[in-house]
Amino acid sequence: MSILTSPRGKVEVVHCRRTESQDIFCIKTLIRKFTQKLFGRLNIIYLLEKANLAVTVCNDKEEIMAHSIFVDYPNWNVAKQDNWIPVFRELDKEIPCTPLNTLFMHFFVAVDEYATGCLKEIIRTVFKAVPELYFIFLIVPTYLSLGSTLITVFDQVGNIPCMNYDEEFAVHICHRHDHYPQLHIRKARVEDHDDLMPIFMHYDSTLKEIYGEYFLAELIEAQDEDNHAVVCEVEGKAVGFMSVCASVNLPLLHECFDLGPFHGFCFPHPDDLLEPPKEPSLEESEDTGNKSDSQGSQRVVEEPVSIDTSEMIQEKDTETSISCEEVLSLLSKVSEDMQDLEKNLSIISLVDEDDFGSLSSLSSSLLLSVESSHFRPLYLGESAAFCIQLFCIDERYEARSLDFMSFVFSLFPNKNFCLISVPHLTPEFVLIQNFVKVVPFSNCTLDNDLYVFHRAGLLRSITIRLAKFLDTPGVEKLVRTLLLSTKILSDLAQYNEAGRDPDGTELQVFVAEVANQIVGIAVIRKEMDIEYIRSHYNIEDFIYFSHHQQEEHGRLNHFALNPIFRHYTKFFLKEILRLGYKSCLYYPVYSQTREGKLQSSYAHSLTSALHYLVPVRPRRQIVYPLEKLGINAPSKEVSKDQASYALNHTNRKLTLEPKVTVNARIVVVGASSVGISFLETLVFCSHLKFNNLTLISTHGLPGKKLLSNEQRKFLASDHCFNDKDYVLMSLCSWVNVVVGRMTAIDRVAKQVVVSKDEIVFYDHLILCTGQQYQGRSLSTGIHWTLTQPWRPSCTSAWRGTASTLCTPQLSQTQPTSTTMI
């Protein structure tokens, strides 16, 4: 919050927030004739639909004081939205504007009395919300002055002509360093102690209680070649602190986390043992081995797959959904030339398909029966990692946390990985939003999550563009381990040849390039079933459908991005929309493969962008008697019967809107209607991202058909969800599944025992086992009845509600197996 004072001495306490649709009426009341001259006659609703960022300033009474809209291409038709960079670089070659670091102000209104203060508050908020942003441009007709408000933050840099008619427009610029500057990073000094201690004490006093009042000064004094302390400085005052150390307990990390994707955080060594030793074989062992490998690869395709935020991986286990950081399971070795990043960014290569069986595919504690037999590689090279021991920063400057990384990497020129470990329940702060989460093994007993950041992630020279024929070798190298790599390369060849599919569907392929190397690819097509989507899904929860043309809807078919640059995923999606002249993207998640074969019509690769999309709830459908309705029946696009799928979506408004990440280990016991409804509620929270959802169920995830139809008839069901409902939810895309029966709960250790010998850890445990069968012998034979469910007072058994999200307080005499909802 900020305090604004008007020229007449009035005071208002204001805060900034994202613009909502209900703000439009009040925004229109602030429009003046001068506003229309500066920005033109605009349809505010339409502009909000196409904006990347819209900010509203409100006072403590929630009255709107100011509003501004920002888009990633210029207004007034001075340049095409997909090719504005050359035009603006001609104005001033010393301004290195790029799509990554530039936005354009398309609209601004404010209460006259507080206009200047509101404008500065909006500009500061925008720079804080988008850390990569360095320039904001404002374009107005040359015959108009900016007025007394806008001129306080914008400076003119030149004039450019309009493309449509003979008129020139003035270009003004606002720089980041004038409002929310980059932090100055330097080595810490003992004198910084007094500035830093209030920041530490604001968050926690534990360190002071354990190590004494002057622990920070002692830590700063203890610096040597392997231990460094750095601070960020603002106006000569330390406002942030980071302690880094070259000593990393790699053996412990090797035991608890899958470090194969990073070559164990070690430099390559000739004696590294990366593959299990081959056993003596018979005459046909080689042929048999090859056949077995190919069959194993085929099983990955034939079994039901789940969508994950991994960069480029197909899930191996039927009932296990990978965590969002399984992205790294495609990587195996670090390139020998680790130091020349600009020349070789392929420092982490992708594993061969034959190695898929040796990788862990779990996020928290899943794959109970498979992982024990996994081979653990042996790395003999020197450590290539250092770790962050202590980090703290004033919340006013938290958005600039990444400024530390360039300096700390310079302190360790021979290290390429920066590690940080944080407790599960720690809210995800800005710094680790740029890190990649490492996948733990199922037997990991550490209470912390491990994150890694690679030196190459500091590069800002990423460029998104349409693919060319010359990109084919680079794309082949990028996707060579994907099960659908042939399909991606086929789409690339089709795009380079014709720009559309044989049936005429528009096709576009985009690539991400850094230092002349292809690090990402995305394939989109024009969405042909938009009326079906509108009628079958609640897409209007996110967009005003009437303000989007049919050609502005696209379908995301494939998306792959090198995990080093995972933090640029949203930027990649934003550029796809800008360069492709799209406003909405849809990603369908189809159900399990039919008859054990992957259908070509459903060939969508698993996308690393899934966590940056929002799941769209399906609509309940009316069953129309088409024959009776005759000409009054709905169109075929609405009533046609096609394969059901779960729909994920993004649009221009969502490209700069962050999600709140929840790393708490939430374990649901029982796939009852309440359990499924509880998971459904969490999954469809569009503003939240749950990384550790786990379902423990005797028969796995409903809808997966692990049992035959005859066997399933003997399971209790209230028919609250059917198989189609499970397809439309696609819980396997978000939830890890443990197949087994819970036999005990250890509330002190916060763990449950599954099938008597396997352990699943939790932070929050939800018990909703549903109805169960209980048999009793009668003289006439065997008779089966349903037990009456035991309902704790704190739960509610109705679709849409679930038991309490807390550690269960069950009576010691209450058997676990009868804890039902």
Side-chain angles (χ1 to χ4, degrees):
M1 290 189 177
S2 300
I3 299 177
L4 303 182
T5 304
S6 71
R8 294 189 296 175
K10 291 184 179 180
V11 176
E12 286 282 359
V13 179
V14 300
H15 65 276
C16 289
R17 60 169 174 79
R18 292 181 180 266
T19 303
E20 301 172 355
S21 57
Q22 58 263 34
D23 298 335
I24 295 175
F25 175 79
C26 295
I27 292 171
K28 288 181 177 180
T29 62
L30 299 177
I31 297 177
R32 307 287 185 264
K33 290 184 178 179
F34 181 69
T35 306
Q36 295 179 346
K37 292 180 180 179
L38 279 179
F39 301 104
R41 294 181 178 271
L42 301 174
N43 184 329
I44 303 301
I45 300 178
Y46 177 84
L47 188 57
L48 285 174
E49 284 295 298
K50 303 303 175 67
N52 297 100
L53 183 62
V55 180
T56 296
V57 179
C58 299
N59 60 15
D60 51 358
K61 299 178 182 178
E62 287 302 316
E63 297 172 341
I64 294 178
M65 307 291 291
H67 168 76
S68 189
I69 296 176
F70 301 87
V71 187
D72 57 1
Y73 58 85
N75 53 345
W76 287 112
N77 292 320
V78 297
K80 294 183 179 180
Q81 74 175 53
D82 61 339
N83 192 33
W84 58 262
I85 301 175
V87 177
F88 281 78
R89 285 194 175 168
E90 288 180 1
L91 288 174
D92 191 339
K93 295 182 180 180
E94 295 183 359
I95 301 177
C97 56
T98 67
L100 178 64
N101 64 21
T102 304
L103 284 177
F104 296 85
M105 178 184 282
H106 280 219
F107 186 72
F108 172 77
V109 290
V111 175
D112 295 336
E113 201 168 359
Y114 301 94
T116 302
C118 288
L119 175 62
K120 292 181 178 180
E121 186 68 18
I122 287 175
I123 295 296
R124 185 164 50 250
T125 300
V126 171
F127 280 126
K128 187 176 181 179
V130 189
E132 301 85 8
L133 184 65
Y134 281 85
F135 309 107
I136 297 177
F137 284 101
L138 173 64
I139 303 171
V140 299
T142 54
Y143 62 84
L144 288 176
S145 65
L146 290 183
S148 59
T149 299
L150 292 171
I151 201 171
T152 59
V153 298
F154 287 97
D155 300 314
Q156 186 169 352
V157 293
N159 297 332
I160 53 177
C162 178
M163 294 190 303
N164 297 342
Y165 47 88
D166 187 17
E167 185 177 349
E168 284 197 342
F169 290 85
V171 179
H172 302 261
I173 190 172
C174 174
H175 296 270
R176 162 185 283 279
H177 58 74
D178 294 329
H179 300 273
Y180 197 69
Q182 237 178 311
L183 299 177
H184 171 62
I185 312 298
R186 59 168 174 81
K187 293 291 290 291
R189 299 187 293 261
V190 178
E191 304 86 74
D192 299 322
H193 175 272
D194 293 341
D195 292 334
L196 295 172
M197 279 307 296
I199 302 176
F200 276 93
M201 298 304 297
H202 174 72
Y203 291 103
D204 194 3
S205 61
T206 304
L207 290 174
K208 180 180 177 180
E209 296 171 357
I210 296 176
Y211 299 106
E213 185 175 357
Y214 299 102
F215 76 92
L216 193 58
E218 294 172 359
L219 185 62
I220 295 174
E221 286 182 334
Q223 295 184 75
D224 54 31
E225 293 183 356
D226 294 333
N227 298 273
H228 298 278
V230 298
V231 298
C232 59
E233 185 180 77
V234 175
E235 297 179 353
K237 181 180 179 180
V239 296
F241 177 83
M242 180 181 288
S243 173
V244 290
C245 177
S247 178
V248 179
N249 190 348
L250 288 182
L252 176 62
L253 297 183
H254 290 164
E255 287 295 322
C256 297
F257 296 92
D258 180 13
L259 305 185
F262 311 97
H263 200 78
F265 298 141
C266 297
F267 289 106
H269 189 277
D271 297 329
D272 286 341
L273 186 60
L274 305 178
E275 297 179 357
K278 296 183 180 179
E279 299 179 358
S281 57
L282 301 176
E283 294 181 358
E284 299 179 355
S285 61
E286 184 175 352
D287 294 338
T288 304
N290 292 336
K291 182 181 296 185
S292 175
D293 287 341
S294 64
Q295 289 175 350
S297 215
Q298 179 64 26
R299 281 196 298 272
V300 176
V301 181
E302 292 179 354
E303 293 180 348
V305 297
S306 69
I307 304 304
D308 185 86
T309 59
S310 59
E311 292 304 326
M312 36 186 95
I313 187 169
Q314 301 282 358
E315 188 173 332
K316 177 178 182 290
D317 191 81
T318 302
E319 284 301 308
T320 305
S321 172
I322 322 172
S323 77
C324 67
E325 307 311 335
E326 182 64 27
V327 50
L328 303 165
S329 295
L330 284 168
L331 311 170
S332 70
K333 292 183 180 180
V334 179
S335 172
E336 294 181 1
D337 188 8
M338 305 277 293
Q339 300 177 9
D340 194 359
L341 299 176
E342 289 293 338
K343 294 182 179 179
N344 184 13
L345 289 176
S346 302
I347 40 180
I348 304 179
S349 61
L350 305 179
V351 299
D352 295 330
E353 289 183 16
D354 296 342
D355 295 332
F356 267 64
S358 66
L359 298 178
S360 169
S361 63
L362 294 183
S363 64
S364 52
S365 50
L366 305 190
L367 253 182
L368 299 176
S369 61
V370 180
E371 190 186 299
S372 58
S373 62
H374 281 184
F375 168 75
R376 302 287 177 89
L378 179 63
Y379 307 101
L380 302 177
E382 294 184 2
S383 172
F386 66 93
C387 66
I388 299 176
Q389 289 183 314
L390 195 59
F391 172 73
C392 189
I393 190 170
D394 191 314
E395 58 185 7
R396 293 174 297 175
Y397 306 99
E398 186 181 9
R400 301 303 309 172
S401 298
L402 198 62
D403 294 343
F404 276 100
M405 299 310 298
S406 179
F407 187 86
V408 296
F409 270 109
S410 69
L411 298 176
F412 299 101
N414 296 324
K415 306 291 185 181
N416 292 287
F417 297 100
C418 177
L419 310 179
I420 185 171
S421 178
V422 296
H424 295 299
L425 296 179
T426 300
E428 190 176 72
F429 46 94
V430 174
L431 180 65
I432 62 173
Q433 290 175 0
N434 298 282
F435 283 56
V436 176
K437 187 179 177 183
V438 182
V439 180
F441 288 127
S442 65
N443 60 353
C444 176
T445 57
L446 296 181
D447 291 330
N448 289 13
D449 289 320
L450 180 65
Y451 291 82
V452 59
F453 184 88
H454 194 278
R455 181 188 295 271
L458 295 171
L459 299 175
R460 297 297 181 91
S461 57
I462 185 169
T463 302
I464 313 299
R465 57 173 175 80
L466 288 167
K468 301 181 294 187
F469 179 78
L470 295 177
D471 298 327
T472 302
V475 174
E476 288 177 348
K477 184 177 181 180
L478 178 72
V479 304
R480 67 181 183 273
T481 58
L482 287 178
L483 296 177
L484 290 177
S485 59
T486 303
K487 178 65 175 175
I488 296 175
L489 294 173
S490 174
D491 286 343
L492 176 62
Q494 183 67 30
Y495 169 75
N496 287 326
E497 180 181 347
R500 58 186 63 246
D501 287 330
D503 62 0
T505 304
E506 180 186 350
L507 173 67
Q508 292 177 305
V509 179
F510 299 90
V511 295
E513 184 179 43
V514 178
N516 298 320
Q517 291 198 28
I518 303 300
V519 299
I521 183 172
V523 178
I524 68 170
R525 287 177 167 84
K526 180 181 178 181
E527 181 54 70
M528 304 303 294
D529 291 332
I530 192 60
E531 289 300 326
Y532 178 86
I533 289 176
R534 186 182 185 184
S535 60
H536 285 71
Y537 299 89
N538 287 320
I539 192 62
E540 290 182 293
D541 287 347
F542 303 98
I543 63 172
Y544 282 104
F545 200 86
S546 59
H547 290 283
H548 298 264
Q549 302 298 319
Q550 185 169 358
E551 59 272 12
E552 292 182 311
H553 297 274
R555 172 171 291 200
L556 181 64
N557 288 88
H558 306 286
F559 187 98
L561 183 63
N562 190 314
I564 292 174
F565 306 102
R566 182 183 67 89
H567 50 291
Y568 288 132
T569 301
K570 276 199 168 185
F571 171 67
F572 199 168
L573 293 173
K574 182 170 74 73
E575 283 295 276
I576 290 173
L577 295 171
R578 182 181 69 88
L579 298 174
Y581 287 86
K582 305 295 182 185
S583 59
C584 300
L585 283 180
Y586 305 92
Y587 182 76
V589 180
Y590 288 95
S591 63
Q592 62 186 22
T593 55
R594 293 184 176 182
E595 299 177 358
K597 295 182 180 180
L598 186 67
Q599 305 297 310
S600 60
S601 59
Y602 310 142
H604 291 65
S605 67
L606 304 185
T607 173
S608 62
L610 188 64
H611 265 304
Y612 298 93
L613 310 179
V614 292
V616 184
R617 285 186 179 273
R619 294 181 186 268
R620 296 189 65 179
Q621 296 299 302
I622 300 174
V623 180
Y624 292 100
L626 299 179
E627 295 181 357
K628 294 182 179 180
L629 292 175
I631 60 174
N632 296 319
S635 64
K636 293 182 179 180
E637 287 77 9
V638 173
S639 60
K640 65 181 179 181
D641 184 19
Q642 67 175 37
S644 299
Y645 54 82
L647 185 67
N648 298 276
H649 164 77
T650 190
N651 56 58
R652 298 185 65 88
K653 294 183 295 184
L654 298 176
T655 52
L656 294 178
E657 184 171 340
K659 286 186 177 182
V660 178
T661 300
V662 180
N663 284 325
R665 297 168 296 186
I666 301 174
V667 177
V668 177
V669 179
S672 64
S673 296
V674 173
I676 297 301
S677 180
F678 173 75
L679 291 171
E680 177 192 30
T681 301
L682 299 187
V683 165
F684 282 97
C685 288
S686 59
H687 63 289
L688 298 177
K689 179 175 71 173
F690 292 91
N691 283 337
N692 286 321
L693 295 178
T694 302
L695 173 67
I696 299 176
S697 173
T698 306
H699 302 289
L701 189 66
K704 281 298 187 180
K705 299 183 179 180
L706 291 181
L707 305 176
S708 65
N709 288 333
E710 293 299 323
Q711 291 173 311
R712 294 173 72 196
K713 291 179 180 178
F714 285 91
L715 296 178
S717 175
D718 58 5
H719 303 286
C720 190
F721 297 96
N722 56 35
D723 287 349
K724 185 175 181 180
D725 292 328
Y726 295 122
V727 171
L728 296 174
M729 286 188 290
S730 186
L731 290 181
C732 60
S733 301
W734 313 94
V735 181
N736 302 300
V737 180
V738 177
V739 179
R741 182 184 296 276
M742 183 186 71
T743 56
I745 302 176
D746 187 340
R747 291 193 284 271
V748 176
K750 284 199 169 184
Q751 63 186 33
V752 296
V753 180
V754 179
S755 301
K756 296 184 179 181
D757 56 355
E758 303 295 348
I759 293 175
V760 176
F761 292 92
Y762 67 86
D763 295 308
H764 305 288
L765 182 64
I766 295 87
L767 300 178
C768 39
T769 54
Q771 295 178 327
Q772 299 180 4
Y773 283 104
Q774 178 179 354
R776 56 190 177 90
S777 177
L778 300 177
S779 58
T780 56
I782 302 298
H783 178 67
W784 293 91
T785 61
L786 279 173
T787 62
Q788 291 296 323
W790 175 72
R791 302 180 184 274
S793 59
C794 62
T795 61
S796 175
W798 181 252
R799 183 174 180 176
T801 61
S803 57
T804 54
L805 187 61
C806 61
T807 304
Q809 302 296 326
L810 300 181
S811 170
Q812 294 292 340
T813 60
Q814 179 66 45
T816 302
S817 60
T818 59
T819 304
M820 306 174 189
I821 295 178

